[in-house]
Each structure stands twice: as structure tokens, then as C-alpha cells.
Amino acid sequence: MTRIYDTAPLGDRMWSERSEHFHETWRTLVVRHGGRCADMHGEMMISRFDGPGRALRCAAALRDAAQQIGVASAQGAHVGEIELRGPPAGLTSRVTIQLAALAGRGEILASRLVADLAVGSGLHFVDRGRIAIDELDEPLALLLAMSEQHLEPACRPKTRATEPACLRTRESEVVNLIADGKSNAAIAAELRLSEHTVKRHVANILLKLDLPSRAAAAAFSARQTGPDGP
């Protein structure tokens, strides 16, 4: 979901021209990133993608385009099932609209699930707390998606490890099992450890490799082993 508004008082004619320019840019960029322009209500535009990485890369491109045109954008990104026929409707759509409504000027606000699935998108994520949504059992974790050049220096990511040499033998076993899709409980059973110990190993792995999530650790392990093993 993308919404735009003027960044300074503009006359009706100038605002109309900039708004129309952005609408054209939105259509072009969505298609360029493999998405579909699903619906538009005034200054609210809904796009649909088959993966969160494409959605976030498009959102970043739209943010930069809005700045160049002279309007402000705010965007929300969420992932879930939707009806392919007709305008997006249902819980996924409503959550995405709410994220865009909460996003500030120039911000891309994403759900935690989007961030976990978008490893390798070129964006970094900063925690923005949680919000309660009536139809969800638990508060929804929010993250601000940012390109590295938009990060404050203190928030810029450290250089990540390119070799797993910093992991201990047990940690390497754990990260390989994470890549196999096993839960902490399943890993604990296979390695004959307590689930608490496995959680501690997972936390150490993410800290040592400077990774944000289990999904990122799984992707790291896959990159190290490759399709034919290490």
C-alpha cells in the first residue's frame, strides 16, 4: 500500500500535476518490479506481488521517485493470502492499509513476516514496536525498512561473516538443522539437548553472524553449503 501527500502547501494545479506524475510512475515501477497495480483510491494505491522482496524493492524505488517528484510517500508491506480476482480484500489487505496509515513521511513500514522472508532484498530493518489488531491473536511486530544509505551511521550494519569459522561445532550443527526447517524442539531432540540450550545456541549464532532471524541463518547456511554440500 502506497499513499502520497504534498510535502509543502501547493496550489491545486501543481498538486494535481505532481499527483498524476506519481500515479504514472507508480504504474511503471510496479510492473518493472514484477507486480500488479491492484487498486487505487485517490492518493491510496495498492499493488500486489508474488514475493515480499519484490514488494520492498518496489517500495524503495517509489519512495525515491516521490522525493524526486516533490511529494511525500508512506508505504506499508505485509504478506498473506488474498483473493486474486478483484481488488485486494480481507485481513491481509486491511493490515497492509493500517501499516501504510501508521508510516511516516518517506517511511516503509513492514510486518515481521515480511522482513523474515525478504532476506537479500538489499534493505535493512529497524524495530518499530508492536500494534494490536483486532483480528489477530497477538500484537503485530513492525519494522522500518531502510536502504543502507538512509540509515543513521550508528545503525549501519556491521560487515557480516562470510565464512562460518566463527561458529563452534555445536553451533554449526544447529544452524544446519535450522536450514533443514527444524524447530527448536526438533533440534533439541535430535542433538539430545534441552530446548533452552538450543535457544541459547540460536541466539549466539545470530549474534556472531550479525543476522536478524532464523530465516536469515537458514539462508546463510544454504549459501555456505550450496546445492551439492560444503
Side-chain angles (χ1 to χ4, degrees):
M1 167 67 70
T2 301
R3 65 186 178 95
I4 59 169
Y5 39 86
D6 57 309
T7 57
L10 299 171
D12 291 343
R13 180 175 178 180
M14 183 177 293
W15 169 240
S16 178
E17 290 175 353
R18 293 187 183 186
S19 177
E20 184 177 349
H21 185 184
F22 185 79
H23 287 158
E24 294 174 356
T25 302
W26 167 67
R27 295 185 185 95
T28 299
L29 289 177
V30 168
V31 172
R32 184 178 298 170
H33 286 82
R36 292 189 177 184
C37 299
D39 200 11
M40 183 169 65
H41 296 287
E43 309 311 329
M44 302 286 283
M45 291 147 278
I46 305 176
S47 347
R48 175 165 58 83
F49 298 84
D50 60 7
R54 290 184 179 184
L56 288 173
R57 285 190 290 271
C58 184
L62 286 168
R63 176 198 56 208
D64 296 341
Q67 291 175 347
Q68 293 176 2
I69 292 170
V71 298
S73 69
Q75 302 184 74
H78 188 47
V79 60
E81 293 185 352
I82 60 170
E83 175 59 53
L84 295 181
R85 293 172 295 182
L91 179 60
T92 299
S93 178
R94 289 192 292 274
V95 170
T96 310
I97 291 172
Q98 189 162 350
L99 293 182
L102 290 170
R105 292 171 180 254
E107 290 185 343
I108 304 169
L109 205 55
S111 62
R112 167 64 71 180
L113 184 55
V114 168
D116 288 344
L117 294 174
V119 175
S121 66
L123 295 177
H124 306 282
F125 298 92
V126 179
D127 181 66
R128 287 293 293 269
R130 296 170 177 265
I131 60 167
I133 294 180
D134 292 340
E135 296 165 273
L136 298 180
D137 295 333
E138 299 180 355
L140 183 70
L142 305 181
L143 295 102
L144 186 64
M146 305 179 72
S147 304
E148 185 170 350
Q149 63 266 32
H150 291 90
L151 290 174
E152 293 294 333
C155 298
R156 295 188 183 226
K158 303 173 184 177
T159 302
R160 293 186 177 177
T162 56
E163 299 293 338
C166 60
L167 298 183
R168 297 178 180 177
T169 300
R170 181 63 82 189
E171 291 169 344
S172 294
E173 293 173 343
V174 170
V175 78
N176 289 336
L177 292 173
I178 290 174
D180 289 339
K182 296 185 181 295
S183 65
N184 286 351
I187 294 173
E190 182 162 337
L191 298 181
R192 297 183 179 181
L193 301 171
S194 70
E195 192 169 347
H196 175 76
T197 299
V198 172
K199 289 181 179 179
R200 180 165 50 82
H201 283 315
V202 171
N204 287 338
I205 290 166
L206 298 183
L207 180 63
K208 287 183 176 181
L209 299 182
D210 191 24
L211 296 173
S213 65
R214 288 171 60 93
F220 175 87
S221 177
R223 288 196 300 272
Q224 295 300 323
T225 58
D228 300 318

